[in-house]
Amino acid sequence: MSLDPGVVLQSLWTDPIRMATVLFQAVRQLPVSLTCPVSPEQKLSQQRVKLIRVSAARKPLPDLETQKTGSKKWFVEEKKDESSALGWLPAFPHASLASMSNFLFGYHIGVMNGPIVSVARELGFEGDSILEGFVVSIFIAGAFIGSICSGSIVDKLGCRRTFQLDTIPLIMGTIISSQAHSLGDMLLGRFLVGFGIGVNAVLVPIYISEVAPTKYRGSLGTLCQIGTCLGIITSLLLGVSSENDPHWWRTMLLIASVPAFVLILGMQFAVDSPRWLCKVGRLEDAKTVIRNLWGPSEVERSVQEFQSVIRTDGSDVGSGWLELMEEPHSRVAFVGGALFVLQQFAGINGVLYFSSLTFKDVGIASSSLASLLVGITNFAGALCASYLMEKEGRQKLLIGSYLGMAISMSVVVCAISFPVDEELSHNLSILGTLMYIFTFAIGAGPVTGIIIPELSSSSTRGKIMGFSFSVHWVCNFLVGLFFLDLIENFGVAPVYAGFGLTSLLAAIFANYFLVETKGRSLEEIELSLKSTLPYRDE
């Protein structure tokens, strides 16, 4: 049956939606050269889109929902979890071995908590608070330098060899400090230990994020926090004997060399990051690692994603520091530095330091026992984080953690400022302090170290982590330096109120500046971030 063209036109004219649909279908059937001229820049853009699609291979990237943050736009993405062929178990031994570096970190944090008085007496600077503080702070100075240097080292050698190389100053520093007979020996030993810890603090989250299956990357990443907690608890338990034996501190320091030797030997049997192997051209080795850790079904897709990123970033191993000034690296570096500034100025180290005095007010006279209670609470929070990380996601966990810290500080401030009953006030102070530490360990502690390498590109991951942790050590030092002076000049309640306010600001920052990375491969995150920027043919 033939149609009257006039009737068809009249029907389309009276139905605009139908007319638009017909015109759109007609235009789609025209050759590209007839619809609109294509500039060279548009061709490059089309090639880039094609590259991103190829990188997704089996599963294309979902559409991205943008959220304004001032003049910036960040992608907000939450992908459904995809079951890994082998689960978390094959990667667990490698991640656990790497987290032994965090065990050493926690151990060296707590090792001077009790014995510092015995050390000062035996080495001849007892009563000099400046020198006592210097013995502690030289550790942070070494960690700062180690974090700055770590990015370049890991780019060239890979995580596994860097672990082994970095364990040398850890062992040397431990032996020198344990055998110290002068203040200079102790300072040298503590500096070397701090340097090693600074490098490892950057290495561990990078290594775990690159060897863990996508679905379990967050859960395995919490091993960093768990290792730190176990190290602190171990040092505090061993530190109980230092109250009766003035020379026990030497044994405590020497014990730290044992896990260091385990780390340097164990890394000989650990795997290298498959992403780094692909970057340096060892494609078959990368495939073997992926097959063993993630399953045979992941090999081709993962290698294809790695190579897509390499073609985008360039084939050179590593990057220059000036690249951190370019988009999107500058955004990630800003977020990484800001997260650590907020984390430290939310007062975690100050609260941990002052907690023993808070407990003393309610009859817990032993500082070691008080610190042990804090360590156990921290450990319990880290275990909860390992369960919640993939269930709730990074952003939600971080926001909830900082809100919990703000509420906890409010409880402590109210207990101090409005003491209705002395016993009730003390109990509320204890409850608020433990709540603060627990909520920190659930999110603010582990998520900060996990999400920064996830957002970083493969070429700048080491340097962005190095920069972020150097900010961490500077803020750590400042909080430790000025905390007691602030308490003395303003009182506990105003200082803790400031910590609570900073925690609230951190929750707001996480809400507006962070994106959800749960369930997405590192390559998908990187390509998604870069796809929002103009493509530059280099």
Side-chain angles (χ1 to χ4, degrees), residues 20 25-26 45 66 85 98 131 191 216 288 331 333 343 416 427 431 451:
Q25 293 295 336
S45 179
T66 58
L131 289 180
F191 177 83
Y216 303 101
T288 301
R331 287 185 291 174
Q343 182 200 67
I416 295 172
N427 290 336
L431 177 63
I451 200 168

Side-chain angles (χ1 to χ4, degrees), residues 127-135 137:
D128 192 329
S129 59
I130 295 179
L131 289 180
E132 289 180 5
F134 195 40
V135 169
S137 61

Side-chain angles (χ1 to χ4, degrees), residues 51-71:
L51 176 63
I52 294 173
R53 288 175 177 169
V54 169
S55 71
R58 187 179 64 186
K59 178 183 56 179
L61 286 173
D63 294 334
L64 301 178
E65 178 189 350
T66 58
Q67 177 181 8
K68 286 188 178 181
T69 59
S71 60

Side-chain angles (χ1 to χ4, degrees), residues 315-343:
S315 58
D316 294 337
V317 177
S319 61
W321 282 99
L322 291 179
E323 286 190 36
L324 299 191
M325 304 297 292
E326 303 174 359
E327 290 283 8
H329 313 309
S330 60
R331 287 185 291 174
V332 180
F334 164 72
V335 169
L339 283 177
F340 274 120
V341 168
L342 292 168
Q343 182 200 67

